[in-house]
Amino acid sequence: MRRGRGRYRDRRGPCHQSRGSGGCRQVDQSDASREPGSWRSESGGWIRASRAPHHGFSGGADGQSQPRNVQAPRCRRLPRDRGGALRCLQRQEQHLGDGAGRTTHRRYCCGGCQRSLRCDRGADHRDPHHPAQGPRGSWPQGQRHRQEGRVALRPFKIAFPSSVDQACDVAGDNFADARLLAGGSDLLTSIKERIEVPDLLVDLKRIKGLDGIAFDEKGITIGGLCTLSDVAAHEKVRKHYFALSEATEQAATPQIRNVATIAGNICQRPRCWYFRSEDYLCLKKGGFKCYARWGENEYHTIFDNDFCCAPNQSNVAPILKVYDGTLEIVSTSGTREVEIEDFFTGPTDDISRENILEPGEVVTRIHLPTPAPSSGCAYFEARERQSFDWALASASVRLTFSGKKVSDARVVLGAVAPVPLRRRASEKLLVGNTISEETIDAACKAALEGAILLEHNAYKSKLVEGLLARALRAAAERGKGG
Ligand SMILES: Cc1cc2nc3c(=O)[nH]c(=O)nc-3n(C[C@H](O)[C@H](O)[C@H](O)COP(=O)(O)OP(=O)(O)OC[C@H]3O[C@@H](n4cnc5c(N)ncnc54)[C@H](O)[C@@H]3O)c2cc1C
Ligand code: SF4
C-alpha cells in the first residue's frame, strides 16, 4: 500500500475542469448530462459528492455500507512510544473509533501492539456464504496461518536452482503454489500482505547468464535478471534506447532499482490499496466487489475500469511496447517468444492475473529491435512525490520520420489502464503529418477517447494530455522531425 497518500486534497479543481472536457465522462454521469452545459444543473450534486467526508463507512451504490477510508493521518512514533503497549492500545481504540480499522493502524503505528497484543481485526467484509470466502478465519487456501491469536506467515520452502531448466522443473512440479523470486521487492511484500501464499519460492538469482545485456545489429537483448539500475546505466541502452533508460531510472528509489529486475518489474502485482490490504477481499482476490470503484480511487484507471480499476504500474512495460519488444519465456514444455503486445491481460480476460504467464514459466530475456535511424523516443511520467513514487500517469512515444513527416508512430500510456495502453487513434493521426502544435493537440485528444473518469481521478485526463504533449515534442526533437 502506498504510504502518505491518505491526505485529502481539494478535489474540486481537477474534477471541475474535466467535467466538461470532450471525450471523457464521469462514471456516474448520465447520458443526458453529457450534453454541453447540462451538467451544470447537477453541479450541486457532484460537488457535494466530491466534498463528502471520507471517514469511516458510507453508503455505496448498492445501498450497502462501503469502506471509504483506508488511510488515516500518520501516527507518529515518538521515543516515548518504545514498548508502549498501552499507548498502542489507546491509539488502536482511537483508530477503530475513526472507523478506519486495522488497516490504517498497522500501516502507521509503531508495531508494538502487533507484538504485544491480540489485534482487533476491524470490520470483516467477507460473505460467510461465499464459497471462496467462508466464515472469518477461513480464508481461501488457508491464507491465514493463525498461532495463539497472532497472524503468522504460512511457512514456505525456498529452492535455489542453478539453471533455468531446474527452475522450470521445480516451479512446474509445484504448479500454483510455487512463486518465482527475483529481486523480491514486490513478491516479498505481497507475501507479507498475504496476497501471495506460496508453499515454495524458486529463487532465480543463482542462475547464471540471465543478468547480461547483449547488443548487435538486430537490437538489444536484456536478461530477465538485469536490475533496473544496470539497464538504466548501460551504455548501449542510453545511446540507442534512451527512453528505456529514462523509464527505468525514474522507477522507485536507487536502493530498489539495485535489486529490482526488469522481468520482475513487468510482472509486478497491482498497487491498489484494497488489493494490498488483507482486510479487503475484493473481486481480484475472489470476493464480490471492487472497493476502489466507489471508494478511494484517485490512483486508479481511467480506461477499461468496468470490473477492476487497478492500473498497471510498471515503468518498463509501456516503453517495451513502444520499442516493439519480444519476451523469451521458458518452461518445461520448451521456449516460446511472445510479443510484449500480447503479454498483458486485462480483468475481462481473467481478473485474478495480469499477464499470460503460466505457473513455472520464466521470462528469461527481453529483445528490442534496433529503432530506425530517423526515429525518436521519449518517456514522461508524473508522480505525486518526486523523490520516489509510482507514476500517476505516463506517456511513451516513438516517432519515425520520413523527411519532416511521421512515417510510423507508437503511443502508449502507463498507469491509467489495467495494461500498458496503446493509443492507436493517436498513432493514426500522427502518421503522414508533420509534428505541429495542432497535430500534438489532436493526438492528445484522441488518446483520451473512451476514458471513463472515476469520482476521484478526473485529474488523470489532464495529466495524460500534458505528458503526451511533452513526450511527442521530445520524440520529434530527438528524431529530428521537430
Ligand atoms: C517503494 C517502491 C517504489 C516503487 N516504485 C516503482 C515505480 O515508480 N515504477 C515501477 O515500475 N515500479 C516501482 N516499484 C516496483 C518495483 O520496480 C518492482 O517491485 C520490481 O521491479 C520487481 O522486480 P523484482 O525483481 O524485485 O521482482 P520480485 O519481487 O522478485 O517478483 C515480482 C513478480 O515477478 C515475478 N517474476 C520475477 N522474475 C520473473 C521472471 N524472470 N519470470 C517470470 N516471473 C518473474 C515473481 O514471481 C513475482 O510475481 C516500486 C517498488 C517499491 C517497493
Ligand atoms: S481495483 Fe481491482 S484490485 Fe482494487 S479493489 Fe477493485 S477489484 Fe480489487
Side-chain angles (χ1 to χ4, degrees), residues 272 274-275 282-284 290-292 300 307-310:
C272 170
Y274 297 101
F275 178 67
C282 71
L283 269 178
K284 201 169 190 51
C290 169
Y291 292 99
H300 290 70
F307 295 105
C308 166
C309 48

Side-chain angles (χ1 to χ4, degrees), residues 458-472:
Y459 71 94
K460 282 203 179 191
S461 67
K462 291 284 166 208
L463 216 50
V464 164
E465 277 188 57
L467 291 167
L468 184 52
R470 282 200 225 171
L472 285 167

